[in-house]
Amino acid sequence: MEKRDYYEVLGVARDASAAEIKRAYRKLARTYHPDVNKEADADQKFKELSEAYEVLSDDNQRARYDQFGHQDPSQGGGGFGGAEGFGDIFDMFFGGGRRQDPNAPRKGQDLQYVEEIDFMEAFAGVEKVITIPVEEDCGTCHGSGAKPGTHPETCKRCGGSGHINVEQNTMFGRVVNQTTCSTCHGRGQIVKEPCETCRGAGRVRKNKDVRVKIPAGIDNGQQIRLAGKGEAGVNGGPFGDLYVVVRVREHELFERVDDHIVMDMPLTFTQATLGDEIEVPTVHGKVSLKIPAGTQTGSRFRLRGKGMPNVRSGHHGDQYVNVVIITPKNLTDRQKELLREFNEISDEKGVEEQHEGVFSRIKTFFTG
Ligand SMILES: [Zn+2]
Ligand SMILES: [Zn+2]
């Protein structure tokens, strides 16, 4: 790909002042930084921008670029270099990326655990003991990673700070950036004789039992935060938190919708036709329900307050009972005979009359 002209990249004139170049770069950097801009080519644009700025903000490099363009002979044919470390420049604008002292206390990791419970446990609330693997300071070396009786040595390369300073040219002049020390991997210390329990890591994995109170009314996917039940902190920092995500198993009869419960209730066609008083299961126990004569399939009855408790307010939702009328199968001869007789009487005066609208529309459909 042909390299774009640096002035063009920054959108400034060839005689732009240093201040104009700086302003243009700041503005575009905010637009194209990959952390901010999610467009596919933002990364590429940002690199191009950083490279253009690096050259044009340096008087010597700019003069050479003005004379030779991208083909600077002093650069060995490779042209101007890329924009290594542009992340650090960005950090100065937006205040991120400060490196931590490896010896400073740090909070332990937050953990997440998924616990599956029954529908009725969600209704009533339940207490569970869950076993989670957590990382803790090694009890043998108390987190130092060194064999008991020995001590970790301070890293000579970084002097125990865990990072190394690197000087860089930026628009602000010469600035010092920090990178993690590769000798001690940021720990600031080197273990000569590692602890046998943790093999020098200073941390061990342990299974920990945690008691979780799951409140009544909890819904599928809701989570409970247990402060301080996560992983142990580093260098005496506080424990992380444990998040228990609750999965509620499906019930064979009940379906939860918000705090309401929906269920299908089968009725025989005689019950639906003649009416009946039936017992309906709810999470609160059996409830009696009057089915009026002539109930249609798909009818819905509401049992007020027979739903799930709201996990926060404790207020109960309702239960909705959807009627499903069961067509009888495998009839005896006697049953068939009675139904045929029923049908004959119905032809004279009955079902059709009550549903004139639908029946006549169907008749019209067939006869045109
Ligand atoms: Zn150890
Ligand atoms: Zn070091």
Side-chain angles (χ1 to χ4, degrees), residues 20 46 57 74 79 95 125 131 159 176 217 228 313 319 323 326 343 358 362:
E20 281 171 329
F46 191 78
S57 61
S74 75
T131 304
V176 175
S313 67
Q319 176 162 316
V323 170
I326 306 300
N343 203 35
V358 190
I362 294 169

Side-chain angles (χ1 to χ4, degrees), residues 195-309:
C195 161
E196 278 161 15
T197 310
C198 63
R199 291 191 191 87
R203 311 270 286 175
V204 283
R205 286 222 159 261
K206 263 192 193 150
N207 282 333
K208 198 164 79 171
D209 286 346
V210 179
R211 197 171 286 277
V212 196
K213 259 197 147 133
I214 298 173
I218 195 133
D219 203 351
N220 188 41
Q222 288 182 322
Q223 60 180 5
I224 299 160
R225 174 171 169 262
L226 297 170
K229 296 292 183 189
E231 293 204 333
V234 177
N235 301 320
F239 278 74
D241 301 330
L242 171 65
Y243 290 87
V244 178
V245 180
V246 177
R247 293 259 166 265
V248 181
R249 277 189 278 267
E250 284 185 9
H251 193 277
E252 52 181 357
L253 294 179
F254 307 127
E255 191 191 333
R256 181 172 182 162
V257 178
D258 298 326
D259 293 330
H260 304 303
I261 287 176
V262 177
M263 76 162 291
D264 286 341
M265 187 69 205
L267 291 181
T268 66
F269 90 110
T270 345
Q271 279 177 308
T273 311
L274 302 175
D276 198 3
E277 185 155 346
I278 60 165
E279 282 190 325
V280 177
T282 78
V283 288
H284 300 257
K286 282 183 207 162
V287 169
S288 138
L289 176 65
K290 258 204 154 89
I291 302 294
T295 293
Q296 302 299 320
T297 200
S299 301
R300 176 177 265 210
F301 296 97
R302 177 157 77 158
L303 301 171
R304 218 174 259 280
K306 297 299 179 190
M308 295 293 258

Side-chain angles (χ1 to χ4, degrees), residues 127-192:
E127 202 171 292
K128 296 266 179 185
V129 176
I130 59 175
T131 304
I132 45 163
V134 290
E135 228 184 41
E136 284 183 347
D137 272 357
C138 169
T140 309
C141 62
H142 303 288
S144 75
K147 198 173 179 175
T150 72
H151 291 283
E153 284 173 22
T154 302
C155 174
K156 287 199 182 77
R157 185 154 177 240
C158 62
S161 68
H163 50 250
I164 282 169
N165 296 335
V166 177
E167 289 194 345
Q168 244 185 345
N169 286 318
T170 73
M171 73 188 85
F172 301 108
R174 197 163 284 269
V175 257
V176 175
N177 277 305
Q178 294 183 339
T179 61
T180 303
C181 171
S182 58
T183 306
C184 63
H185 304 289
R187 293 183 68 176
Q189 293 181 323
I190 289 174
V191 173
K192 283 266 164 69

